[in-house]
């Protein structure tokens, strides 16, 4: 279904841990000026779309997500035409979803077709999740929504415009060091440290983001600080993170936990925002 929206770009994808609801809180801590905006875990890109910076570097290790952004930047009209072909039907959805079960056939898809598939599934699947199994196969069931919008033409065009000022990189978070320099703003929003053994939703890609990865990220944070970058990092409010970043400024913000199979466990929860003491 196609609808039009305003000229102000919004996230194209629903993304677990997306920061759209937290923008008013994050805005309180943003620096008054900065050079290039760099986001090593871009995900849904809520802060990027809110800031609409003059220069940006967007990095993620999810190839389908990065492909979506590249296609919107380079061939938004082709993407819109492809999105208009989809239908909100269970059998159709599972046919599209199961394309990645046949890697040979799926690899034959064009970049536009892959981006269209990702957006369509994200908008009609249950709870708007992006989740893959250990084989890298998208495994979220059909959402059975009455009228999901999977072709917001106006927003696609607005996103196309703001992405013209962005460099889009498929890679690990460490690659931000290839671009970051003094005065740049780096916002890090990694997979969070689980608060319990059951709260381990880190499957945006086949790779787990474990304690070793969190410590490697801390080393990157330190390097960015040493370079004179302005760094912000979001993560769980837990002893591990509080201890790891104890040498930096730590603010507590309140987020709404929206993804949980048990409704009673959804609600407000503490998160931390770590800053390297910039104004």
């Amino acid at each position: 279904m196609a609808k039009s929206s305003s000229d102000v770009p919004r996230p194209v994808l629903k993304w677990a841990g997306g920061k759209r609801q937290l923008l008013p809180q994050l805005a309180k801590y943003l620096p008054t000026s900065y050079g290039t905006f760099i986001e090593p875990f871009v995900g849904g890109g809520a802060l990027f779309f809110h800031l609409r910076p003059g220069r940006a570097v967007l990095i993620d290790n999810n190839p389908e997500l990065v492909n979506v952004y590249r296609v919107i930047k380079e061939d938004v009209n082709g993407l819109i035409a492809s999105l208009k072909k989809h239908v909100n039907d269970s059998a159709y959805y599972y046919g599209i979803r199961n394309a990645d079960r046949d890697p040979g056939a799926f690899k034959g898809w064009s970049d536009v077709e892959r981006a269209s598939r990702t957006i369509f599934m994200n908008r009609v699947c249950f709870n708007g999740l992006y989740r893959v199994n250990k084989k890298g196969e998208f495994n979220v069931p059909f959402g059975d929504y009455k009228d999901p919008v999977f072709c917001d033409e106006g927003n696609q065009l607005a996103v196309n415009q703001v992405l013209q000022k962005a460099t889009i990189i498929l890679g690990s978070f460490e690659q931000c060091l290839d671009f970051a320099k003094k005065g740049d703003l780096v916002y890090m929003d990694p997979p969070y440290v689980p608060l319990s053994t059951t709260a381990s939703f880190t499957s945006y890609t086949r790779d787990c983001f474990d304690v070793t990865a969190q410590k490697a990220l801390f080393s990157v944070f330190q390097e960015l600080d040493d370079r004179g970058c302005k760094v912000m990092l979001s993560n769980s409010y837990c002893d591990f993170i509080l201890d790891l970043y104890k040498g930096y400024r730590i603010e507590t913000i309140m987020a709404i936990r929206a993804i949980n199979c048990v409704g009673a466990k959804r609600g407000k929860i503490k998160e931390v925002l770590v800053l390297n003491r910039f104004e």
Side-chain angles (χ1 to χ4, degrees):
M1 180 176 183
K3 290 185 179 179
S4 295
S5 65
S6 70
D7 293 332
V8 179
R10 305 182 314 278
V12 175
L13 298 172
K14 299 178 183 179
W15 207 255
K19 292 298 179 286
R20 194 172 179 187
Q21 53 146 323
L22 293 179
L23 288 176
Q25 295 183 71
L26 294 178
K28 298 176 184 178
Y29 303 103
L30 289 168
T32 55
S33 63
Y34 56 88
T36 299
F37 174 77
I38 302 173
E39 193 163 357
F41 303 88
V42 63
L47 186 58
F48 165 72
F49 292 119
H50 171 73
L51 292 174
R52 300 189 290 282
R55 298 187 306 277
V57 177
L58 308 178
I59 303 170
D60 205 282
N61 69 347
N62 185 313
E64 298 307 318
L65 173 68
V66 169
N67 180 64
V68 165
Y69 289 133
R70 286 177 173 169
V71 166
I72 294 175
K73 179 179 180 178
E74 298 165 8
D75 190 6
V76 67
N77 290 323
L79 175 62
I80 290 170
S82 179
L83 284 169
K84 288 179 178 179
K85 297 177 182 179
H86 295 302
V87 293
N88 183 36
D89 173 79
S90 176
Y92 176 83
Y93 170 81
Y94 285 111
I96 293 291
R97 192 194 75 166
N98 292 342
D100 61 11
R101 274 61 171 174
D102 183 359
F106 187 52
K107 288 180 180 178
W109 287 39
S110 69
D111 290 344
V112 168
E113 290 170 330
R114 283 173 47 212
S116 176
R117 171 182 181 267
T118 298
I119 295 171
F120 167 72
M121 292 192 307
N122 179 260
R123 289 293 170 173
V124 303
C125 74
F126 180 74
N127 254 357
L129 292 174
Y130 184 97
R131 185 184 67 204
V132 295
N133 58 26
K134 291 182 178 179
K135 295 181 180 179
E137 300 168 344
F138 189 83
N139 64 354
V140 184
F142 182 63
D144 199 24
Y145 301 116
K146 182 178 180 181
D147 192 24
V149 177
F150 45 81
C151 182
D152 187 338
E153 187 170 348
N155 190 50
Q156 297 284 359
L157 293 171
V159 170
N160 164 266
Q161 290 301 305
V162 73
L163 285 178
Q164 299 308 311
K165 300 175 182 178
T167 299
I168 303 168
I169 305 292
L170 174 62
S172 67
F173 63 87
E174 292 96 340
Q175 286 189 251
C176 70
L177 296 174
D178 295 338
F179 301 92
K181 59 188 182 300
K182 183 177 180 179
D184 289 344
L185 172 60
V186 184
Y187 175 57
M188 296 175 156
D189 185 24
Y192 282 16
V193 173
L195 296 179
S196 71
T197 55
T198 56
S200 56
F201 190 86
T202 57
S203 301
Y204 309 114
T205 70
R206 286 171 287 182
D207 306 317
C208 292
F209 205 84
D210 57 13
V211 169
T212 300
Q214 293 286 353
K215 290 181 177 179
L217 178 60
F218 174 66
S219 295
V220 172
F221 189 105
Q222 290 179 307
E223 171 63 24
L224 293 167
D225 182 38
D226 290 342
R227 292 186 186 186
C229 298
K230 303 176 182 184
V231 193
M232 301 172 62
L233 177 140
S234 295
N235 215 312
S236 302
Y237 186 95
C238 64
D239 290 342
F240 175 78
I241 292 298
L242 292 173
D243 183 64
L244 190 62
Y245 290 92
K246 61 186 177 184
Y248 295 97
R249 176 184 172 188
I250 298 178
E251 299 288 344
T252 302
I253 58 179
M254 300 301 296
I256 298 174
R257 190 206 306 266
I259 294 178
N260 195 301
C261 59
V262 181
K265 293 186 178 180
R266 300 174 187 170
K268 289 188 176 182
I269 186 171
K270 286 183 179 180
E271 292 187 3
V272 299
L273 184 66
V274 183
L275 306 102
N276 64 334
R277 301 182 295 273
F278 56 79
E279 76 282 359

